[in-house]
Amino acid sequence: MANYGTDGSDDLDWDLEDVVVTEPVATVSCNGEASSSAGPSNSNLVSHFVGMGFPREAVAKAIRENGEGNSEAILESLLTQAALAESPDSPECEHACSDLFSSESADDFIYDLSDSDSDWASEEKVDNLSEKDRTLKLLETMGYPLDEVAIAMDRCGPNASIEEMTDFLCAAQVARSADAFFYDREEEQNKKRRHFEEENRWKRKKEKRFERIDECDDTTHLPNPMVGFGLPDTRLVVKRTLPEAAVGPPYFYYENVALAPRGVWNTIARFLYEIEPEFVDSKFFSAAARKRGYIHNLPINNRFPLKPIPPQTIHEAFPSTKRWWPAWDRRTKLNCVQTATASAKLTERIRKALEGWEDSDPPLKVQHDVLHECKKWNLVWVGKNKAAPLEPDEIEMLLGFPKNHTRGGGISRTERYRALGNSFQVDTVAYHLSVLKEMFPNGISVLSLFSGIGGAEVALDRLGIPLKNVVAVEISEASRSIFRSWWEQSNQKGNLIDISDVQKLDADKLEQLISSFGGFDLVVGGSPCNNISGSNRVSRDGLEGKHSSLFYDYFRILNQVKAIMTKT
DNA sequence: GAGAAGATGAGAGGGTCC
DNA sequence: GGACCCTCTCATCTTCTC
């Protein structure tokens, strides 16, 4: 049920709104000649602004002043005109203000007083009060809020008459109403501006789309469902022939977010031998979605999944949540695990929103809002009305890492979330890399760029492929520490070399590494997505962004490795 | 000062309706 | 086919806390 104000202020706002709506027309219509000047050449523009609610004459004037080509300036001018027409100094507003002191209003006060039979109005009691208290009670009985009366008494002094006090209170109310009025007008203007901008945005979008069609179609069509070149237990229907330049050695495997800005995947593919990306959503491998694109030169026949098959639904992954899961939350899979997590304040707001609906489902609006937050932040139900973000160890499980993979060793909770949010989904990657098992029974040498917490290495290890040599390049000290810790704990027999920055990995260093290892069998990595991810609200600059431009280092290093290995 | 917590949209694709 | 709405997204920046 909606709550309405009880102090009468709503009525006041409605009255003012009625006055306001009529004013711009009356004021602007003074320029009657303007309407005829809007010639046929700009009739569409006139219709456009008239459609937004501006008077035709005002539109014509604004077009004359700003020119047809500058629609934003026209809008500004129209908004300014409307604001001036409704300013408190204008005669129209004075009229509106004077209404507040009209006889009708006074009648209301009288009615209130005469009709009052409360104890407050009892003559006997009033007689017993001090002069100040009597004034206060009288004004309150007249309908003024107590706190405002107190302020008025303070400002007007103890000896002020009732008339002086009512003058002060009326003036305060008028001022407040004017504020509300201007706020409303501002809102209305903002609404118009938003509407205008939205329309322009769509226009630009449409134009861009046609421009693109004219030039070349740089759109990447994401498959729906996003199953890549095939899933376990499904018949492979995809056949591909790699360009000659793409054929290994070494094999390479590149990963990034699927939902990149337009043109990004085309550019990546262009640099990586024109190989078609394989777009896969990890929800087909686990209980959480993770839409990623992979470009690789691996065979795609005879892949097999990691065993045991991980939980495929939320309830399989977190059975204890089933008890608390509301029937109206029909999620079976979680959304993409990201680097940030929900705040305690949010989960508190959810709890409070659901309290009071013990015996029935909350209203649809509440359900909708709560579900929106649950999906956005990947919340699960851990108690009555208690939604909670995933714990880091739960995310480790969802992503296919061993329990406590990121825990301890000086790694903070925030660093764990960040590192996990940036990593591979191990089961998905392992499915693609599984074809290497037959080829490298005695072990594999891996150049792991942007290695993070070692998703690729964990996948190879879980596939049973021995890690002979691993050169891991990762800028985050925390991630390097996590990976090295896993390497030591999992009793790896091979060599691990870690390097802190891909930009330090030049041709000389690569030559040195290749000569000591006899070459790399696999170059794997997912370059930073910071400037590509849809979650980035500040610098989604695509492949030219500060972080994501490191893709070109992946390309550079891969080419250098190929060149050096061909030479030797 | 470092780490944690909290607040902050926009862009792109897909679905639905007309 | 276009308009509109909904959903989803490997994040970033500021403020708070210790």
Side-chain angles (χ1 to χ4, degrees):
Chain A
M1 189 196 290
N3 290 320
Y4 296 97
T6 55
D7 59 1
S9 57
D10 288 330
D11 293 339
L12 185 61
D13 285 345
W14 278 111
D15 291 346
L16 278 170
E17 188 72 24
D18 288 343
V19 173
V20 168
V21 168
T22 61
E23 294 315 317
V25 179
T27 308
V28 182
S29 64
C30 296
N31 302 323
E33 80 285 358
S35 62
S36 61
S37 63
S41 66
N42 58 16
S43 61
N44 284 344
L45 201 58
V46 174
S47 309
H48 173 77
F49 285 109
V50 170
M52 289 170 71
F54 293 107
R56 184 172 291 275
E57 295 80 3
V59 172
K61 187 183 171 200
I63 291 173
R64 228 182 20 254
E65 286 171 356
N66 297 285
E68 288 179 40
N70 197 348
S71 47
E72 286 190 21
I74 295 169
L75 177 69
E76 282 297 333
S77 173
L78 286 166
L79 292 172
T80 309
Q81 282 188 52
L84 284 173
E86 294 145 15
S87 89
D89 297 332
S90 72
E92 291 79 10
C93 184
E94 269 179 33
H95 170 70
C97 300
S98 68
D99 280 353
L100 293 169
F101 302 95
S102 68
S103 57
E104 196 182 332
S105 302
D107 286 345
D108 285 344
F109 290 145
I110 292 162
Y111 175 79
D112 285 344
L113 273 173
S114 60
D115 196 43
S116 174
D117 58 357
S118 70
D119 287 351
W120 284 114
S122 127
E123 199 176 332
E124 185 185 335
K125 287 197 175 181
V126 170
D127 281 347
N128 291 338
L129 296 169
S130 69
E131 189 62 27
K132 187 181 171 185
D133 284 342
R134 281 180 59 188
T135 310
L136 194 142
K137 300 300 174 198
L138 193 57
L139 287 168
E140 197 194 12
T141 313
M142 287 165 75
Y144 293 108
L146 251 182
D147 53 343
E148 286 187 23
V149 172
I151 292 168
M153 292 186 89
D154 203 38
R155 298 282 176 85
C156 299
N159 301 321
S161 66
I162 287 287
E163 287 73 23
E164 284 173 315
M165 300 280 281
T166 51
D167 277 349
F168 180 92
L169 286 162
C170 284
Q173 285 191 348
V174 170
R176 197 176 56 246
S177 303
D179 282 348
F181 154 61
F182 279 117
Y183 176 76
D184 288 342
R185 292 303 302 163
E186 199 177 325
E187 273 296 290
E188 195 182 322
Q189 288 174 4
N190 282 339
K191 249 177 158 176
K192 283 185 179 172
R193 196 192 306 272
R194 277 198 297 272
H195 174 75
F196 178 78
E197 283 169 356
E198 176 77 2
E199 273 198 358
N200 267 3
R201 195 163 66 89
W202 276 101
K203 260 188 202 162
R204 281 199 297 272
K205 257 185 162 178
K206 212 177 351 179
E207 285 164 8
K208 269 189 180 175
R209 193 184 300 170
F210 284 119
E211 277 170 22
R212 274 196 301 275
I213 290 167
D214 287 346
E215 289 167 9
C216 65
D217 186 9
D218 69 347
T219 52
T220 303
H221 300 288
L222 299 174
N224 187 14
M226 205 181 276
V227 296
F229 299 150
L231 297 172
D233 301 327
T234 57
R235 195 161 158 264
L236 184 69
V237 289
V238 177
K239 285 184 180 174
R240 68 169 184 172
T241 310
L242 292 172
E244 201 178 327
V247 178
Y251 286 111
F252 71 88
Y253 187 81
Y254 175 81
E255 179 260 17
N256 214 318
V257 292
L259 296 158
R262 203 178 289 273
V264 164
W265 272 107
N266 277 23
T267 307
I268 293 173
R270 207 161 50 240
F271 276 86
L272 296 178
Y273 314 105
E274 300 282 359
I275 297 176
E276 183 192 349
E278 178 171 15
F279 292 105
V280 185
D281 187 342
S282 291
K283 73 177 181 183
F284 297 109
F285 290 85
S286 74
R290 203 168 187 80
K291 297 182 182 72
R292 296 290 179 269
Y294 306 87
I295 290 184
H296 58 83
N297 61 352
L298 294 163
I300 56 174
N301 293 310
N302 302 321
R303 293 162 154 182
F304 60 89
L306 277 180
K307 296 285 175 67
I309 301 294
Q312 296 295 298
T313 65
I314 300 172
H315 288 159
E316 282 174 27
F318 310 114
S320 62
T321 63
K322 202 171 179 178
R323 181 181 168 199
W324 307 109
W325 209 272
W328 44 268
D329 183 350
R330 295 189 180 85
R331 286 177 299 158
T332 58
K333 300 270 187 183
L334 292 161
N335 281 336
C336 182
V337 172
Q338 301 197 49
T339 56
T341 190
S343 64
K345 279 199 173 178
L346 173 69
T347 56
E348 188 191 14
R349 281 202 297 272
I350 289 175
R351 183 176 56 78
K352 284 183 175 167
L354 296 176
E355 276 174 358
W357 305 102
E358 315 299 338
D359 302 323
S360 61
D361 283 347
L364 286 178
K365 174 81 171 72
V366 175
Q367 288 181 25
H368 177 268
D369 290 349
V370 169
L371 261 179
H372 175 78
E373 296 298 339
C374 287
K375 287 177 181 175
K376 183 177 173 184
W377 293 104
N378 261 341
L379 305 179
V380 293
W381 299 97
V382 297
K384 191 175 183 180
N385 299 332
K386 271 175 71 180
L390 296 167
E391 290 294 312
D393 60 320
E394 293 171 332
I395 298 175
E396 286 168 350
M397 184 264 282
L398 286 172
L399 294 177
F401 287 95
K403 193 172 170 62
N404 295 329
H405 184 73
T406 57
R407 190 177 183 186
I411 309 300
S412 73
R413 199 176 157 82
T414 303
E415 283 171 328
R416 292 182 75 189
Y417 279 118
R418 182 174 295 275
L420 286 161
N422 284 326
S423 78
F424 285 166
Q425 204 288 329
V426 170
D427 298 270
T428 311
V429 171
Y431 181 63
H432 298 157
L433 299 179
S434 62
V435 293
L436 297 170
K437 185 164 185 179
E438 270 193 3
M439 296 184 217
F440 301 98
N442 299 319
I444 192 169
S445 291
V446 182
L447 174 55
S448 184
L449 305 174
F450 317 102
S451 57
I453 57 175
E457 290 76 7
V458 171
L460 291 166
D461 183 62
R462 288 190 58 194
L463 285 165
I465 304 174
L467 295 164
K468 267 197 311 193
N469 301 294
V470 172
V471 176
V473 189
E474 170 56 47
I475 201 158
S476 159
E477 197 180 336
S479 293
R480 285 205 307 275
S481 166
I482 290 167
F483 181 42
R484 180 161 283 282
S485 177
W486 171 81
W487 183 271
E488 286 162 2
Q489 283 171 32
S490 57
N491 298 317
Q492 298 295 325
K493 303 287 187 279
N495 304 305
L496 171 63
I497 294 173
D498 49 35
I499 296 173
S500 63
D501 190 348
V502 286
Q503 291 174 317
K504 289 180 185 167
L505 193 55
D506 55 18
D508 289 345
K509 182 75 180 167
L510 281 169
E511 207 151 343
Q512 186 190 333
L513 289 166
I514 288 168
S515 67
S516 62
F517 293 154
F520 292 109
D521 304 310
L522 175 67
V523 178
V524 63
S527 61
C529 67
N530 308 40
N531 308 116
I532 296 175
S533 163
S535 298
N536 189 338
R537 301 164 183 200
V538 181
S539 53
R540 198 183 185 196
D541 305 324
L543 279 180
E544 308 315 313
K546 184 181 163 192
H547 304 285
S548 295
S549 59
L550 289 171
F551 158 73
Y552 297 108
D553 280 284
Y554 179 93
F555 164 71
R556 172 185 60 83
I557 291 167
L558 175 64
N559 268 338
Q560 286 175 340
V561 168
K562 278 172 88 84
I564 296 166
M565 285 175 63
T566 309
K567 201 169 62 183
T568 53

